[in-house]
Amino acid sequence: MSIRVLPDVLISQIAAGEVVERPAAALKEILENSLDAGATDIQIDLEQGGIKRIRVADNGSGIVRDELALALTRHATSKIASLADLEQVASLGFRGEALASIAAIARVQLTSRSANANHTGAEHAWTVQAEGGRLSDPVPAARATGTTIDIQDLFFNTPARRKFLKTEGTEYAHCAETVRRLALANPQVAFTLTHNGRVQLRFNAEPAHTRVRQVLGETFEHNTIAVDAAAGMLRVSGWVIRPGAATASRDSQHVFVNGRYVRDKLIVHALREAYRDVLHHQLNPAYCLFISLPPDLVDVNVHPAKTEIRFRDSRGVHQFLFHAVERLLSAPVEGNATAAPELSAPGSFKPPVYGAPQQVTMPLQVSEAMAFYAPLAAQGAGFRGQDSGEGIAPAAQPFPASGQGDAPPLGYALGQLHGIYVLAQNAQGLVLVDMHAAHERVVYEKLKTALDARAVPAQTLLIPVALTVDACDVAEIGPHLDQLGEIGFELSITSPTSVAVRSVPWLLKNADPVELTRAVLAEVAEFGVARLLAERRNELLATLACHGAVRANRMLTLPEMNALLREMEATERAGQCNHGRPTWFQIGLKELDGMFMRGR
């Protein structure tokens, strides 16, 4: 076959396959043009989900008469003029092919009046029409300063593409999501979305936090932590969800780079890693983040849809985002777990003044795990031993009506429920703590700190424990015995199918050494020692911490409970255990009053 030059209309129709996937894609391109034109009020009218009609009217700077036809011509743009401009583009649009692609597959009417009074014809508006790529001459029209683009019968001349569209409801949902995303990034702009003659969305020009509430809802706003961090020319601001409020949905994940909504794997991975220690594996974080950096440090010319980008220093951006969010999530307990809208900054919690109950101060030491406290016979009258069943732990005393003293955020222990939960009283009301989950986090963080400092103390067993294991596990751990020793495990191979445990980490000294060793070997069998001690180190430490944490049905004394509460307040990420489950909840006095209908 001979080679021939394709006609311009066919070229535009081919390009439309990439640029205009569905009505929402066409709407996005038009709205971005309105924002680039400085519009502060944008009216959007849709019919049949945008398939029948998309009409966008703005109050931007407008287009002069002589350039109306150029606006619908391929590769004609006001955004860039050279390669240097492309390498540091700051506008949302720049390729000059979106409107031409739309005009090739729809019936388009473009009406505009320029704000520049010096141009010929600026005394009124002008309009041009395009159908299947054929343009009409400009004719006068009535309109205030700004632009209106009316697109009808999308894909009317490409029926094969039209068959791939979904139902009217689905296409409208995609259009509405496009409006919400651009509204999030541009709180200073008012948006009104009408579908089939009925107003569906109305966003007035508002401050950023108000726009977030309007778009993402009060539930998101009340369960997020504000982010604001900078490193050199790179900055991130916005909101991330508290781990305890995360859901399985990915719908509320919004990232904007220099005002442009993007879907970037590097950013998603960095944020997922920041949540790794505090989020259950079945849940996904929600966030609304705005990243700003010089335009020449990010390449937005990756795909015609412009949702994919590349960073010049991708590793630096990844590490910056990871540490900015991870630092927020690792803050120790500061106040009410259900306190709303914005988390208090570290050190800003000012609890009310009241008297503390009578108790014996007994802080939990770093070198010991809570599960292995000796019975405190001297601490409570009548208490004979934790396993005897004869003793009674000292009762908690109520807060005096008068008395001064600062209460810690998690308050003071009242008692234990079913050997699983610790009940405590603080300024806001009642605190419920899952003692195993909470102590698991405490032990886990201490193991990480000790390993980072290369100071994991080991407890030598008086009598080495021998156990039979799989020959493959023995072969795997053989070359790595020194590395296992660095985390407190001293093992020796006694035969091709057996090992002897000679020491275990000090923090886990009273845990069952056989169970501990089998847990480590199970991880070794799945991942290998080298990978386990490098990239999956934290998963191994989480497994060890689970074995070392206080178990259900272990009866704690009040001093032990209070020691655990104080350790939680001093521990990073204490709100979730190593598996992402919550460790404590606050029930406020107002909620308790409501349960008992007090004040009604």
Side-chain angles (χ1 to χ4, degrees):
M1 296 179 65
S2 58
I3 299 175
R4 64 179 63 87
V5 178
L6 296 176
D8 286 345
V9 173
L10 180 56
I11 293 172
S12 295
Q13 289 174 337
I14 293 171
E18 291 184 305
V19 179
V20 190
E21 177 188 1
R22 63 194 332 152
L27 179 60
K28 168 183 172 291
E29 298 291 345
I30 300 165
L31 292 177
E32 288 181 347
N33 283 339
S34 295
L35 293 169
D36 284 340
T40 59
D41 188 358
I42 302 176
Q43 308 284 330
I44 306 133
D45 296 299
L46 304 178
E47 292 182 18
Q48 297 180 15
I51 302 171
K52 178 66 176 175
R53 188 183 193 188
I54 301 172
R55 182 180 183 275
V56 177
D58 66 53
N59 64 345
S61 58
I63 306 171
V64 299
R65 175 190 181 279
D66 296 339
E67 295 179 358
L68 278 176
L70 281 176
L72 298 174
T73 303
R74 284 192 312 116
H75 307 311
T77 179
S78 62
K79 315 295 173 61
I80 61 173
S82 65
L83 180 61
D85 294 338
L86 178 62
E87 291 176 348
Q88 51 185 356
V89 64
S91 58
L92 296 174
F94 58 88
R95 298 175 67 99
E97 61 183 359
L99 289 181
S101 298
I102 295 170
I105 56 171
R107 298 181 174 94
V108 177
Q109 178 175 292
L110 177 61
T111 305
S112 187
R113 180 177 179 180
S114 174
N116 191 341
N118 295 325
H119 278 278
T120 304
E123 62 277 4
H124 56 76
W126 295 84
T127 185
V128 295
Q129 294 187 356
E131 182 172 332
R134 295 186 300 274
L135 295 177
S136 69
D137 293 328
V139 296
R143 196 201 187 286
T145 299
T147 301
T148 300
I149 183 165
D150 193 341
I151 302 169
Q152 297 188 39
D153 299 325
L154 202 63
F155 300 121
F156 81 97
N157 57 354
T158 52
R161 290 295 311 277
R162 186 159 184 147
K163 290 179 181 177
F164 282 94
L165 296 180
K166 305 298 182 184
T167 64
E168 175 183 327
T170 299
E171 296 301 339
Y172 167 73
H174 284 283
C175 290
E177 182 61 22
T178 297
V179 175
R180 290 190 186 96
R181 287 170 180 166
L182 288 168
L184 276 175
N186 301 275
Q188 77 284 359
V189 179
F191 292 83
T192 303
L193 173 61
T194 302
H195 184 223
N196 293 337
R198 299 182 62 182
V199 175
Q200 302 292 334
L201 295 174
R202 191 190 300 277
F203 301 127
N204 297 322
E206 299 282 1
H209 64 89
T210 305
R211 178 60 60 85
V212 167
R213 185 193 311 127
Q214 289 178 329
V215 177
L216 300 181
E218 291 188 2
T219 300
F220 178 86
E221 181 197 29
H222 284 247
N223 289 287
T224 53
I225 309 169
V227 180
D228 193 355
M233 294 180 290
L234 185 62
R235 179 176 180 180
V236 61
S237 60
W239 298 265
V240 294
I241 199 78
R242 291 176 179 168
T247 66
S249 172
R250 289 189 175 92
D251 291 344
S252 295
Q253 295 183 342
H254 302 276
V255 177
F256 302 87
V257 176
N258 291 344
R260 184 192 307 278
Y261 173 79
V262 299
R263 291 192 297 264
D264 184 75
K265 292 180 180 179
L266 177 138
I267 294 174
V268 171
H269 184 268
L271 296 172
R272 186 73 193 181
E273 286 295 294
Y275 274 88
R276 186 177 60 175
D277 259 3
V278 294
L279 202 63
H280 192 275
H281 61 86
Q282 294 179 342
L283 303 179
N284 292 294
Y287 41 79
C288 179
L289 294 176
F290 302 91
I291 302 169
S292 60
L293 72 168
D296 59 336
L297 297 183
V298 57
D299 181 8
V300 297
N301 188 29
V302 177
H303 188 274
K306 302 190 291 289
T307 55
E308 299 178 25
I309 57 173
R310 291 194 186 100
F311 294 103
R312 179 173 295 181
D313 181 12
S314 57
R315 179 174 176 80
V317 173
H318 183 283
Q319 290 299 101
F320 168 70
L321 284 177
F322 168 75
H323 289 297
V325 176
E326 195 252 3
R327 194 180 305 117
L328 279 177
L329 300 177
S330 66
V333 177
E334 285 295 338
N336 187 353
T338 57
E342 296 183 3
L343 191 68
S344 301
S348 66
F349 178 72
K350 296 286 190 299
V353 178
Y354 51 71
Q358 301 298 316
Q359 65 159 338
V360 178
T361 302
M362 188 188 69
L364 182 65
Q365 300 300 316
V366 171
S367 61
E368 298 187 45
M370 191 70 183
F372 314 123
Y373 266 90
L376 304 171
Q379 304 295 344
F383 187 84
R384 299 186 182 182
Q386 68 182 52
D387 297 318
S388 66
E390 301 175 17
I392 300 175
Q397 298 189 14
F399 292 113
S402 63
Q404 304 298 315
D406 290 335
L410 294 181
Y412 296 102
L414 300 171
Q416 201 173 2
L417 181 66
H418 288 291
I420 299 174
Y421 303 103
V422 172
L423 308 182
Q425 176 182 349
N426 69 353
Q428 289 75 35
L430 181 67
V431 175
L432 293 92
V433 177
D434 182 331
M435 66 182 193
H436 171 76
H439 191 239
E440 187 177 11
R441 170 62 70 179
V442 170
V443 175
Y444 176 49
E445 293 297 333
K446 289 177 179 176
L447 282 170
K448 287 201 299 184
T449 301
L451 190 56
D452 288 339
R454 297 190 175 276
V456 181
Q459 172 64 51
T460 302
L461 303 179
L462 291 175
I463 302 175
V465 177
L467 66 156
T468 302
V469 297
D470 190 273
C472 294
D473 293 341
V474 174
E476 174 67 36
I477 66 173
H480 303 284
L481 294 177
D482 291 342
Q483 289 175 282
L484 289 171
E486 291 178 2
I487 62 171
F489 278 97
E490 184 184 347
L491 305 177
S492 59
I493 299 174
T494 55
S495 81
T497 58
S498 64
V499 296
V501 186
R502 302 188 180 277
S503 69
V504 295
W506 172 262
L507 278 169
L508 316 173
K509 66 183 188 303
N510 281 11
D512 186 333
V514 174
E515 282 189 18
L516 271 179
T517 306
R518 290 200 184 280
V520 172
L521 292 178
E523 300 267 353
V524 166
E526 185 173 358
F527 303 110
V529 175
R531 187 179 175 204
L532 194 62
L533 296 178
E535 60 189 87
R536 301 195 64 87
R537 184 200 73 162
N538 285 355
E539 284 87 339
L540 173 61
L541 297 184
T543 300
L544 300 181
C546 189
H547 283 274
V550 58
R551 297 289 182 177
N553 300 318
R554 155 74 156 89
M555 301 307 296
L556 304 181
T557 65
L558 279 177
E560 287 177 312
M561 296 179 209
N562 282 313
L564 178 58
L565 296 176
R566 302 294 79 77
E567 279 292 318
M568 289 173 64
E569 291 162 352
T571 299
E572 294 182 345
R573 310 172 188 87
Q576 290 77 33
C577 76
N578 315 337
H579 312 295
R581 295 190 297 109
T583 60
W584 67 287
F585 279 101
Q586 174 86 58
I587 301 180
L589 284 174
K590 185 178 294 186
E591 188 176 351
L592 290 169
D593 289 343
M595 291 178 185
F596 293 96
M597 303 176 70
R598 291 178 62 86
R600 295 189 184 180

